């Protein structure tokens, strides 16, 4: 058997009340030590940060995180960390807040700039303890070794991958997800589905990630339309949150592919939502990869809820692509980048970054420049 690695948080709390379980543990372990809560203005305005700020922890707040966090945001958050003399960090929100918290964790023990850590395992020292509370059920940032930070000077997304930035404790509490807008629910949910599908067909996939990926595909695809239709559906929210969590476990071990490699430049250059970029590209890239993973895409179809009993493997694999297109339509994903104001000239400028992205190496088949150009064209 090929050697494979699994890396994930030491502890995870999931379910309604998980935030309170975390704060109780942190009060016990950190006492009066100073912590820094890194979040975004929306969560603070909705009052969810109060669960942390009024918990009895000695906490200061940095809430200037923006979507697609950049190097300026990271530097400001780290300055706050130093200013208040923090000894531990809580990232509270979606991928933007948690990735910013991961970057501050890096800088707490390693000399910057943060761009120096772009790539795989370039972080030498683990830094301050990090606790991550997921609020979107999308990025799985609370469980993974990845952080994505946009460089404000070059407009390149630095993809930092290191076991040393995996949060010590992760939290998935669906009670804070009930008021997420349907468009955000859809985009983050398809982001999580992308993690599951890409890790399932990646070159790094193995027996354990195969099992987990299929379970995640099933949980997310069956329940995402329900929470898009009714954000207060706590049972479906919990199932989507679980699906995105285990999809994170899978891609943290097996890796991703060209969907993410091509989505990262779109977010960096046009400040587009990461989940939407992934969703637009997912069925198109999967069709490109399908002939190299026919058996696996046939199983993806079944996990997506397609009745494949009377289909050949080839037919079932084609049905998987159709089902991905249909799920995008069902939850309201834009049909292409053109709807978001992107031109073909824009996509041509993204190609070098897509080729250089660390996620590209996980794709089941190498994608040359000409094919990347063609896929971006199809995605318009």
């Amino acid at each position: 058997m090929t050697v494979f690695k699994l890396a994930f948080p030491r502890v995870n709390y999931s379910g309604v009340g998980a935030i309170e379980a975390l704060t109780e543990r942190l009060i016990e372990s950190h006492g009066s030590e100073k912590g820094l809560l890194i979040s975004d203005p929306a969560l603070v305005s909705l009052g969810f940060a109060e669960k942390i700020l009024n918990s009895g922890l000695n906490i200061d707040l940095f809430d200037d995180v923006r979507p697609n966090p950049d190097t300026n945001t990271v530097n400001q958050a780290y300055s706050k960390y130093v200013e208040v003399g923090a000894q531990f960090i809580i990232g509270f929100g979606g991928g933007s807040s948690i990735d910013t918290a991961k970057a501050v964790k890096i800088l707490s023990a390693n000399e910057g700039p943060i761009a120096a850590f772009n790539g795989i395992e370039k972080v030498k020292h683990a830094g301050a303890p990090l606790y991550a509370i997921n609020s979107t059920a999308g990025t799985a940032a609370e469980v993974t070794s990845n952080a994505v930070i946009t460089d404000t000077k070059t407009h390149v997304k630095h993809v930092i991958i290191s076991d040393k930035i995996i949060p010590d404790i992760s939290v998935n509490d669906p009670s804070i997800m009930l008021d997420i807008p349907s468009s955000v629910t859809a985009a983050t949910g398809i982001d999580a589905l992308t993690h599951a599908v890409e890790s399932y067909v990646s070159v790094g996939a193995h027996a354990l990630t195969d099992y987990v990926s299929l379970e995640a595909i099933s949980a997310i695809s069956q329940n995402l339309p329900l929470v898009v239709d009714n954000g207060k559906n706590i049972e479906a929210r919990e199932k989507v949150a679980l699906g995105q969590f285990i999809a994170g476990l899978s891609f943290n071990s097996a890796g991703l592919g060209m969907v993410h490699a091509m989505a990262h430049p779109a977010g960096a250059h046009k400040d587009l939502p990461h989940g939407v970029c992934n969703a637009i590209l997912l069925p198109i890239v999967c069709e490109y990869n399908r002939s190299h993973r026919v058996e696996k895409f046939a199983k993806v179809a079944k996990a997506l809820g397609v009745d494949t009993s009377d289909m050949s493997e080839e037919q079932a694999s084609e049905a998987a692509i159709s089902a991905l297109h249909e799920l995008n339509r069902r939850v309201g994903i834009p049909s292409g980048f053109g709807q978001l104001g992107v031109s073909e000239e824009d996509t041509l400028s993204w190609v070098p970054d897509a080729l250089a992205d660390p996620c590209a190496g996980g794709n089941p088949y190498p994608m040359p420049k000409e094919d990347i150009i063609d896929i971006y064209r199809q995605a318009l």
Side-chain angles (χ1 to χ4, degrees), residues 13-24 51 171-175:
Y13 292 113
S14 290
V16 175
I19 292 177
E20 287 79 4
L22 173 69
T23 56
E24 288 176 11
K51 289 191 174 187
V171 170
N172 288 280
D173 189 331
S175 69

Side-chain angles (χ1 to χ4, degrees), residues 102-111 113-114 116-128 145 147 159-166:
K102 288 176 176 178
V104 172
K105 174 181 174 66
I106 291 170
L107 295 177
S108 72
N110 301 271
E111 186 175 352
I114 198 64
F117 307 99
N118 181 47
I120 300 173
E121 295 300 346
K122 294 185 178 179
V123 179
K124 291 184 178 180
H125 307 292
S145 56
V159 182
I160 303 166
I161 303 173
S162 173
D163 292 347
K164 294 184 178 66
I165 64 173
I166 297 174

Side-chain angles (χ1 to χ4, degrees), residues 24-315:
E24 288 176 11
R25 180 170 181 143
L26 296 190
I27 290 170
E28 181 179 328
S29 59
H30 287 288
S32 61
E33 291 179 353
K34 174 72 73 173
L36 180 66
L37 175 64
I38 296 176
S39 190
D40 63 68
L43 276 178
V44 173
S45 65
L46 287 169
F48 291 125
E50 297 300 316
K51 289 191 174 187
I52 306 296
L53 296 171
N54 296 333
S55 65
L57 287 167
N58 185 10
I59 287 286
D60 268 85
L61 174 66
F62 176 87
D63 63 349
D64 290 331
V65 174
R66 56 187 298 277
N68 292 316
D70 57 32
T71 47
N72 284 345
T73 302
V74 168
N75 291 337
Q76 291 164 8
Y78 177 62
S79 294
K80 181 77 170 184
Y81 172 87
V82 173
E83 175 190 331
V84 303
Q87 295 168 282
F88 66 94
I89 306 160
I90 301 175
F92 186 16
S96 297
S97 294
I98 297 175
D99 281 3
T100 301
K102 288 176 176 178
V104 172
K105 174 181 174 66
I106 291 170
L107 295 177
S108 72
N110 301 271
E111 186 175 352
I114 198 64
F117 307 99
N118 181 47
I120 300 173
E121 295 300 346
K122 294 185 178 179
V123 179
K124 291 184 178 180
H125 307 292
L130 171 62
Y131 310 104
I133 304 169
N134 167 42
S135 70
T136 62
T139 65
E142 82 280 4
V143 69
T144 67
S145 56
N146 296 22
V148 182
I149 305 295
T150 301
D151 196 309
T152 53
K153 294 180 179 178
T154 64
H155 300 289
V156 170
K157 280 200 171 187
H158 298 302
V159 182
I160 303 166
I161 303 173
S162 173
D163 292 347
K164 294 184 178 66
I165 64 173
I166 297 174
D168 297 277
I169 298 177
S170 62
V171 170
N172 288 280
D173 189 331
S175 69
I176 62 170
M177 303 174 186
L178 302 181
D179 294 315
I180 297 173
S182 60
S183 60
V184 176
T185 296
T188 55
I190 300 293
D191 184 18
L193 183 69
T194 304
H195 296 154
V197 174
E198 284 211 286
S199 61
Y200 183 58
V201 301
S202 77
V203 297
H206 52 79
L208 186 55
T209 59
D210 280 356
Y211 174 79
V212 170
S213 295
L214 289 175
E215 288 295 317
I217 292 168
S218 179
I220 295 165
S221 62
Q222 289 178 24
N223 291 281
L224 182 60
L226 301 179
V227 293
V228 168
D229 290 347
N230 176 16
K232 303 291 187 182
N233 187 332
I234 189 71
E235 182 179 351
R237 283 278 187 197
E238 194 156 17
K239 290 177 180 177
V240 172
L242 175 63
Q244 74 88 41
F245 176 74
I246 61 175
L249 293 176
S250 182
F251 94 74
N252 206 38
S253 178
L256 295 168
M258 284 307 300
V259 177
H260 274 77
M262 295 178 68
H264 286 150
H269 287 265
K270 285 290 187 177
D271 203 27
L272 301 174
H274 176 65
V276 173
C277 297
N278 275 338
I280 290 170
L281 289 162
L282 178 61
I284 304 171
V285 174
C286 283
E287 174 56 32
Y288 179 90
N289 289 328
R290 186 184 60 80
S291 62
H292 304 282
R293 293 286 191 274
V294 171
E295 179 183 359
K296 283 200 161 186
F297 275 110
K299 292 179 179 178
V300 168
K302 189 173 181 180
L304 287 168
V306 178
D307 181 359
T308 62
S309 56
D310 293 328
M311 296 181 185
S312 66
E313 275 192 348
E314 184 74 18
Q315 291 170 328

